[in-house]
Amino acid sequence: EQLAGERGLDLSPIIAAAREAARPRGFIEQVREWGQALLDKVTHYFGPKPEPLMAGAEPATRGSHLAAAYAVAAGVRHLAEREATFEPNMLLRTSLNMSDHGATVRVVESRIDRLVTDRTLLMGKVHGRDLMTTRDIFKTEVDMVNHVKAGIDAIASPIDPAVAVSGLADASKAAAIDLSAEQQDGALAILSGTNAVQLIQGDAGAGKTTIFALARDVAAKSGIEIIAATPQNKLATELREVTGIQVQSVEGLLSQHRFATGKATSVVIDNARADLGGKILIVDE
């Protein structure tokens, strides 16, 4: 106590809190306090705005139901950060892995069913498989598709097609790389495509990084810089080392230009355009 006093630390609130914690409480009061603490935790992770995944889960809710609501909300957020859709069994398993005490399988299943009934979670069949998503993800997907459609044949070729073809041939010859027809199509889509957004589908081992590296060389000769963003810093490092392209994480890119959307000032937007204008952006994965 003497040392604490010398350092300006008042121990009395800590002692008072400990005595309060030791005070006998009724079961209902304990459940209410536990429920409020759980909702505080949800607010910390999901933000202060109303969380649709927690609809109907109040502090007075039975402990097992509140625990299930939190578990499912956490499970959905975890899966939705990684996939656009997920199977019901995967959501059940993830929710149970994240559950606090009191969340049983039956109650968690009941909570998932309620969110589907309320259409907070959307469910449908894709190639015979039951898949789920959230309304936010569904809206994002629709917005992306509409954005891509609006960009079809909406821009001039960054590089003249004939220049891109000859440049790609020279670059692949210099690197002693024999491109497949599909790889060549992918590289030319990057260099001289007329769609604002180009989609290149390439499975593991298909040689995406190869065409990225060649495209970078060809674009550089025409004075155009190719930059890239990846979902993880580890991927950014790997892509940078293999292709020589300036790469950063998607999160870093968004953070850098987070004020350049909506009602941003003209100076902020001008700075973003100066930084990104005239460049080709590859978003990997």
Side-chain angles (χ1 to χ4, degrees):
E1 203 167 333
Q2 181 182 347
L3 288 171
E6 291 172 1
R7 287 159 178 76
L9 174 63
D10 182 9
L11 295 179
S12 57
I14 299 173
I15 296 169
R19 285 177 175 155
E20 174 64 21
R23 181 175 60 83
R25 293 170 295 161
F27 177 73
I28 296 300
E29 185 182 357
Q30 292 181 48
V31 169
R32 282 180 178 274
E33 290 184 7
W34 173 78
Q36 187 59 56
L38 193 52
L39 284 180
D40 290 344
K41 181 160 67 169
V42 171
T43 300
H44 172 73
Y45 283 110
F46 297 148
K49 67 178 185 290
E51 170 53 58
L53 293 168
M54 290 297 293
E58 303 300 334
T61 306
R62 283 177 53 190
S64 60
H65 291 178
L66 188 59
Y70 170 71
V72 174
V76 169
R77 291 302 185 208
H78 177 79
L79 293 173
E81 286 179 351
R82 292 155 178 79
E83 301 288 344
T85 59
F86 39 88
E87 295 181 337
N89 283 344
M90 179 60 73
L91 175 57
L92 177 61
R93 184 170 70 184
T94 305
S95 299
L96 289 170
N97 286 341
M98 296 189 162
S99 65
D100 218 321
H101 55 277
T104 64
V105 174
R106 182 179 62 81
V107 180
V108 170
E109 285 181 324
S110 176
R111 180 63 187 177
I112 293 172
D113 289 342
R114 171 176 173 170
L115 293 177
V116 172
T117 300
D118 294 345
R119 291 190 61 77
T120 300
L121 290 177
L122 307 179
M123 178 126 80
K125 280 193 178 294
V126 180
H127 303 306
R129 295 167 58 210
D130 285 328
L131 291 174
M132 311 177 88
T133 191
T134 69
R135 285 185 294 193
D136 286 345
I137 291 177
F138 184 78
K139 181 180 182 305
T140 298
E141 293 285 324
V142 170
D143 289 346
M144 282 198 296
V145 170
N146 290 337
H147 180 68
V148 170
K149 284 182 177 178
I152 294 176
D153 289 329
I155 64 169
S157 297
I159 299 173
D160 181 270
V163 173
V165 169
S166 62
L168 186 61
D170 292 342
S172 56
K173 183 178 180 181
I177 295 173
D178 187 15
L179 292 178
S180 68
E182 288 185 340
Q183 285 178 313
Q184 185 166 347
D185 287 344
L188 292 177
I190 295 172
L191 296 167
S192 59
T194 56
N195 296 341
V197 179
Q198 300 280 356
L199 173 65
I200 298 177
Q201 174 69 34
D203 297 330
K208 294 192 300 294
T209 52
T210 298
I211 68 170
F212 292 164
L214 292 176
R216 181 192 71 87
D217 293 341
V218 176
K221 290 180 179 177
S222 293
I224 295 176
E225 183 181 3
I226 294 181
I227 59 175
T230 68
Q232 299 172 24
N233 282 319
K234 183 172 181 289
L235 289 173
T237 301
E238 293 173 356
L239 188 61
R240 188 184 306 111
E241 290 174 351
V242 173
T243 64
I245 292 173
Q246 176 194 328
V247 191
Q248 63 185 126
S249 68
V250 171
E251 184 65 30
L253 181 69
L254 293 177
S255 178
Q256 183 180 345
H257 299 289
R258 65 188 181 280
F259 299 122
T261 58
K263 297 179 179 179
T265 64
S266 59
V267 173
V268 172
I269 294 174
D270 288 345
N271 289 340
R273 285 181 173 152
D275 184 51
L276 298 172
K279 295 180 182 178
I280 295 172
L281 170 65
I282 294 173
V283 183
D284 197 20
E285 300 205 355

